[in-house]
Amino acid sequence: MTTSDGTGRFLVGRGIADITGEAAECGLLGYGKPEQQSAGIHLRLRARAFVVVDADTGRRVLIVVNDLPLIFDSIHREVLRRVGLRHGDRYTDQNTMITATHTHCGPGGYAHHRLYNLTTHGFRDRTFTAIVEGMVAAIDAAHADVAPATLTLARGELTDASANRSPVAFARNPEADRAFFPDAIDPRTTLLRVDRDGTPVAAINWFATHGTSMTNHNQLISGDNKGYAAYHWERLVEGADYLAGDVGFVAAFAQTNSGDMSPNLNHRPGSGPTEDEFENTRIIGLRQFEAAGKLAASAGTPLRAGVDHRTTYVQLAGFDVDPEFTGDGRQHRTGAPNAGAAALAGTREGPGLKGFRIGPAGNPFFDGLSRHLLYRLSPRLRDAHAPKGLTPLGGLVNRLTPVAQSVVPVQLLRLGQLFLVGIPGEVTITAGLRLRRAVAEATGADLADVLVAGYSNAYLHYVTTPEEYDAQCYEGGSTLFGRWQLPALVQVVSGLAGAMQRGEPVPLGTPPPDLSGSVRPSRHVPPPDRAGSRSFGAALASPAVSCRPGQRATAVFVGAHPNNDLRRGDTFLRVERAAGDGWETVADDGDWSTRFHWARAGRDGSRVTVTWDVPPDTPPGRYRLTYHGDARTGAGPALTPVTAVSEAFEVAPH
């Protein structure tokens, strides 16, 4: 039973696992640049899973926050299939939210829709498998970890970790909406803290800012600013040992409505508090951690009783939007998915194709073709998509080959007084406000307790308001289903919220077709490894004999292709300190202070560079850098372990 003050009784489990994909020669997903291929690791990617159970009713939800660029139906479908084999019907598409932090520096190629595999030369099975197996491992751990817990909700503001990257579009919104965001950003930071026996053991933080602190020139896998925030809390503050599986405190930094929120405060790529993309990533992540940490230390508000969920699959192409949601008192219909020319122009943090510009008249060919021909021939097309300059990416092409998803899941989860609106896209702050208002109105919830959980369960690109859509900036051009897409989603979400309030079920609908049998695997297969005139693991460069905190130690080795074994849950490098008669690991490739660089040497050779930026609090002593790899020297799958050790060096007092 609930307590006398209405506080709920909950069981909570948490788990974490490595989901890092191919560290070499795999296109990084997010910026859409074919030349941005993985060439090492700066920060490993992780899945963080949370099971929340109402102790009185047994009703449960599962939330998985992943250091990934995006979630696709391919991942959503396969994870749920495997989890179903393990746990029956406890976790389904109805009560499970799988979401992404939206880093732009994660390996791609794990979608079944071909648009998202263009820069990876097709479907990358190894990355797909690493992501799926890691998520399932995190979910298994969370399921096994379920135990009585107290949940506390806290809210605050963070004003120096985001900027509006689309101010022209934002300015088109009505004054009443703009007044809600006086600085044109969404500063809300929300924390759900999990305690056991009075001790915090986990937290989920929601804050809106893009995962674009790292630029499209970076080739190292990175969880970007939210990945750093989680790492800082778990590893640097709570002392987690990821390799030993001794994580303890689990901290997830999830997205909300970050469609037009950028971490690049100076409105230039990689330019925030500093002009260094790595330092910007750390600072923006640190600010999110510090804001969350203050909320975690506050009294907060105990979570009230109740766990509930509603999910429905919606065909967004040709969706009839009722007059009460359109804003003009008339019924309208969404269009087939179609990218606008403005979408190809990119943003200030990642410029797109040359010759394309944002704006309703920025692309004379496509704008003129649409306005003077396509929209005249089809008034319905005009009503759905104008003033978008239509491109071939969508519509007819999508009927011929699966380019983009049009049947998508829309979800509403309730944890006590907290409502999470699961939208499979990048929602702008004003579009998010309208979705939140719909839920608050239908349920009687406090608006502050309703959050949009973007990037959840699938991907439909951007969600803008009709007013923002008319500006045809990047976000509007990427609103695939046209001007009435947001009103359609508001209508669906309002229906979910109303049904939840009345205690009524909703039809799940028909999930999208399974495309796993039609994917085109990548043709990229690394050749067998060759060490040349040297042996695998041979040292080509060693660290200086002595260095101080704040300096960098570097070693270069003859290595092997990292994709031979992704070493999920393991590491390609170690920083070791002499201890007695042996060596103890003080850092690995999941640490911020290290970098693992890979480069091709000739046609079939590999050069591996290990670096360690000596942290300020490093104790004096003897240290060394080690490399761990796996060489494939023949045509078959057999691998030979490779271990290389640098010369020892001294870290002197600062």
Side-chain angles (χ1 to χ4, degrees):
M1 297 179 63
T2 60
T3 60
S4 58
D5 62 358
T7 302
R9 298 195 310 121
F10 299 99
L11 307 174
V12 179
R14 73 272 194 271
I16 185 171
D18 184 357
I19 54 173
T20 308
E22 293 161 276
E25 299 182 312
C26 179
L28 299 182
L29 183 62
Y31 288 112
K33 294 289 186 181
E35 65 272 20
Q36 190 189 17
Q37 305 242 330
S38 59
I41 298 174
H42 185 223
L43 197 62
R44 279 193 174 261
L45 310 181
R46 306 192 189 277
R48 295 169 174 88
F50 305 85
V51 175
V52 181
V53 185
D54 186 317
D56 295 317
T57 66
R59 205 164 174 84
R60 67 179 58 203
V61 298
L62 167 63
I63 300 172
V64 191
V65 181
N66 302 279
D67 294 331
L68 287 176
L70 299 166
I71 300 298
F72 298 117
D73 177 69
S74 55
I75 294 291
H76 184 248
R77 183 186 299 270
E78 182 61 14
V79 168
L80 289 176
R81 186 189 71 81
R82 296 195 189 192
V83 169
L85 294 175
R86 287 167 162 77
H87 306 294
D89 61 358
R90 288 186 179 92
Y91 310 109
T92 68
D93 47 5
Q94 299 184 57
N95 70 340
T96 300
M97 175 179 284
I98 300 177
T99 188
T101 61
H102 197 43
T103 173
H104 279 47
C105 290
Y110 55 91
H112 288 163
H113 289 84
R114 293 173 181 170
L115 175 63
Y116 313 109
N117 298 339
L118 292 178
T119 61
T120 57
H121 309 293
F123 182 76
R124 308 288 295 226
D125 183 67
R126 305 209 68 185
T127 289
F128 175 84
T129 300
I131 292 171
V132 169
E133 290 182 348
M135 280 194 206
V136 172
I139 293 168
D140 285 347
H143 178 80
D145 185 61
V146 167
T150 301
L151 293 172
T152 304
L153 191 63
R155 300 191 297 264
E157 289 195 352
L158 176 58
T159 59
D160 59 355
S162 61
N164 197 310
R165 73 179 190 188
S166 193
V168 172
F170 174 79
R172 285 178 172 251
N173 290 308
E175 171 60 29
D177 289 344
R178 287 185 283 116
F180 197 85
F181 305 109
D183 296 319
I185 64 170
D186 185 352
R188 294 170 308 122
T189 176
T190 303
L191 188 86
L192 183 64
R193 192 185 75 221
V194 182
D195 292 358
R196 286 183 182 165
D197 300 322
T199 300
V201 296
I204 309 177
N205 178 260
W206 289 271
F207 176 72
T209 196
H210 246 71
T212 51
S213 292
M214 300 298 295
T215 71
N216 60 17
H217 296 289
N218 169 63
Q219 293 182 289
L220 299 182
I221 293 173
S222 169
D224 212 274
N225 54 69
K226 289 186 179 291
Y228 178 80
Y231 163 84
H232 184 95
W233 201 341
E234 293 168 347
R235 176 86 162 131
L236 302 186
V237 175
E238 297 291 340
D241 186 345
Y242 297 117
L243 295 183
D246 179 21
V247 176
F249 192 91
V250 178
F253 284 78
Q255 285 288 9
T256 60
N257 36 227
S258 62
D260 49 356
M261 295 292 97
S262 170
N264 296 310
L265 307 183
N266 295 329
H267 303 287
R268 298 191 305 276
S271 178
T274 76
E275 295 298 316
D276 177 83
E277 62 183 311
F278 290 92
E279 185 64 4
N280 286 332
T281 301
R282 188 190 69 83
I283 291 173
I284 296 297
L286 183 63
R287 289 175 178 177
Q288 290 177 74
F289 157 73
E290 290 174 341
K294 289 180 181 178
L295 296 178
S298 69
T301 303
L303 208 66
R304 295 200 293 268
V307 170
D308 209 350
H309 51 80
R310 298 289 187 281
T311 300
T312 187
Y313 284 95
V314 181
Q315 170 57 269
L316 269 183
F319 185 96
D320 290 320
V321 188
D322 294 340
E324 64 180 292
F325 298 100
T326 59
D328 65 359
R330 295 186 295 127
Q331 186 178 68
H332 293 277
R333 176 176 289 184
T334 61
N338 207 308
L344 303 181
T347 68
R348 283 182 291 190
E349 45 192 25
L353 300 179
K354 290 183 178 181
F356 288 88
R357 292 174 173 78
I358 63 171
N363 301 279
F365 175 78
F366 291 104
D367 294 332
L369 178 66
S370 300
R371 184 169 57 251
H372 299 303
L373 179 61
L374 301 178
Y375 291 153
R376 286 187 177 182
L377 292 174
S378 175
R380 176 174 290 181
L381 185 67
R382 180 180 66 243
D383 183 65
H385 281 294
K388 179 189 288 178
L390 299 174
T391 69
L393 292 178
L396 178 60
V397 174
N398 208 47
R399 296 191 191 101
L400 300 175
T401 186
V403 174
Q405 188 171 340
S406 61
V407 177
V408 299
V410 180
Q411 188 174 59
L412 182 64
L413 303 184
R414 180 173 78 85
L415 304 174
Q417 66 269 37
L418 177 65
F419 291 81
L420 300 176
V421 186
I423 299 295
E426 311 195 38
V427 185
T428 65
I429 58 174
T430 309
L433 176 63
R434 296 183 189 178
L435 288 162
R436 294 169 54 217
R437 282 172 172 164
V439 172
E441 180 179 345
T443 62
D446 186 329
L447 182 63
D449 288 332
V450 182
L451 302 178
V452 168
Y455 310 94
S456 291
N457 304 319
Y459 188 59
L460 57 79
H461 285 263
Y462 278 76
V463 181
T464 56
T465 67
E467 296 87 349
E468 292 168 342
Y469 180 86
D470 288 345
Q472 280 301 291
C473 293
Y474 171 78
E475 296 81 7
S478 300
T479 298
L480 298 187
F481 299 90
R483 196 175 192 274
W484 309 108
Q485 178 179 295
L486 173 63
L489 290 171
V490 171
Q491 179 174 320
V492 173
V493 166
S494 181
L496 295 178
M500 183 177 286
Q501 182 68 10
R502 296 186 299 272
E504 299 173 354
V506 297
L508 179 62
T510 303
D514 184 356
L515 301 176
S516 58
S518 64
V519 294
R520 294 179 178 176
S522 171
R523 296 179 180 177
H524 176 78
V525 178
D529 296 291
R530 299 286 182 266
S533 60
R534 297 174 178 267
S535 60
F536 288 109
L540 302 177
S542 297
V545 295
S546 178
C547 63
R548 296 178 181 274
Q551 295 181 327
R552 175 174 291 179
T554 301
V556 182
F557 304 101
V558 176
H561 202 286
N563 296 354
N564 293 335
D565 186 333
L566 304 187
R567 305 185 75 83
R568 192 180 67 79
D570 203 343
T571 182
F572 286 105
L573 67 87
R574 293 176 188 266
V575 179
E576 298 175 316
R577 183 175 187 267
D581 295 331
W583 296 84
E584 62 180 8
T585 300
V586 298
D588 55 68
D589 69 7
D591 278 293
W592 185 261
S593 60
T594 65
R595 300 183 193 182
F596 169 70
H597 293 264
W598 172 88
R600 174 67 69 195
R603 191 184 72 85
D604 48 14
S606 294
R607 293 294 177 267
V608 169
T609 302
V610 174
T611 69
W612 180 43
D613 294 326
V614 185
D617 58 351
T618 301
R622 292 179 66 238
Y623 291 80
R624 69 183 188 182
L625 307 180
T626 65
Y627 157 66
H628 306 277
D630 300 272
R632 183 172 61 87
T633 57
L639 299 177
T640 301
V642 177
T643 299
V645 181
S646 77
E647 294 290 337
F649 58 96
E650 295 289 330
V651 171
H654 197 284

